Amino acid sequence: MAEDTVDASLIEWEDGVDLVLGIDVDRTPAQIWPHLTDPRLVDVWFVGYQTAPEAGSGDQGASAASDAGEQDAVGAPAGSRLLFTFDDEPVPGEVLSSQPPSEDPDEAHLLVEIEGIGRLGLTLRAEREDPGEGVASANAPAADAAASATRISLAHTVADPDTDPELIASVVEQVGPVWETHLRLLAEELAREAGDTETSFDVPEAELTARYQRLAEELA
């Protein structure tokens, strides 16, 4: 993978404006999914989290939540309440929707809401090829097609629909480099897991800053 394989765009929809980043990795959705849902693996490229205690559960619930956070929490269902750790401070979040690859091996998604950050969506979409042709084939049965790569898309809702474009541009300049750095860390970890220790995903900070300044200028 080249260093410039992260795509970035702004998408307007009925609920707001999303900053969408995407990268292709040589792993299947099933292989990537634990890196989105297991607290120990998420902590490698983003921040750690644990399952939040139920309201009114007191110290006993908090203790149970801590124990759960230390275990494999893959597949947290919609409605699950989480506690992320930013700068040693707990920040509440919630799983809004979740579709693991066990439901569809070609596509999976996770949508969470984090206090102070907003909605963050992650989608995994397999890209399949006809092994006889080496190119995507709509006529090839799923069983005969091989997953050559997976597209990881990260979408952050950065503004409401009526937000001033200049304010949106300012937010994009601030959060764009941060999310791309996290996405590159995830891609690097997946590459290492696959045995690739040579591909570099590092990009100079100044280059990232300039990239999102240009994207913000297009919006403003």
Side-chain angles (χ1 to χ4, degrees):
M1 282 183 220
E3 291 184 349
D4 60 350
T5 51
V6 174
D7 299 325
S9 62
L10 290 167
I11 298 178
E12 297 184 42
W13 59 301
E14 59 184 11
D15 284 346
V17 179
D18 283 2
L19 172 63
V20 181
L21 308 181
I23 191 170
D24 294 327
V25 297
D26 296 326
R27 308 294 280 164
T28 66
Q31 292 169 324
I32 301 169
W33 185 251
H35 292 268
L36 308 187
T37 54
D38 184 326
R40 294 162 297 188
L41 298 178
V42 174
D43 191 34
V44 173
W45 64 274
F46 185 41
V47 295
Y49 78 88
Q50 64 183 26
T51 304
E54 296 294 334
S57 58
D59 293 339
Q60 183 177 358
S63 176
S66 179
D67 292 342
E70 294 174 358
Q71 299 172 1
D72 188 348
V74 173
S80 297
R81 297 193 176 277
L82 311 172
L83 281 176
F84 294 86
T85 303
F86 291 93
D87 297 326
D88 297 324
E89 293 293 329
V91 176
E94 181 180 358
V95 179
L96 300 180
S97 66
S98 175
Q99 177 184 301
S102 58
E103 296 182 15
D104 182 348
D106 285 344
E107 186 167 341
H109 77 261
L110 180 67
L111 179 65
V112 298
E113 180 111 26
I114 305 175
E115 186 175 292
I117 294 178
R119 289 188 179 184
L120 180 65
L122 287 151
T123 301
L124 309 176
R125 185 171 288 113
E127 300 176 357
R128 292 189 174 272
E129 291 185 350
D130 180 346
E133 300 293 335
V135 296
S137 172
N139 298 321
D144 296 333
S148 60
T150 296
R151 181 72 167 181
I152 305 176
S153 297
L154 183 155
H156 178 208
T157 302
V158 295
D160 296 327
D162 299 327
T163 303
D164 184 276
E166 290 189 3
L167 180 57
I168 299 175
S170 176
V171 173
V172 169
E173 282 189 51
Q174 294 176 39
V175 305
V178 176
W179 287 126
E180 179 161 337
T181 298
H182 285 306
L183 190 59
R184 287 179 178 277
L185 286 172
L186 172 58
E188 183 175 44
E189 183 65 17
L190 291 167
R192 287 178 178 174
E193 184 179 77
D196 178 1
T197 59
E198 297 182 0
T199 302
S200 173
F201 293 88
D202 291 335
V203 172
E205 183 178 348
E207 184 177 321
L208 283 178
T209 300
R211 177 181 192 182
Y212 289 94
Q213 284 176 339
R214 291 192 297 270
L215 187 61
E217 288 170 0
E218 294 175 9
L219 179 65

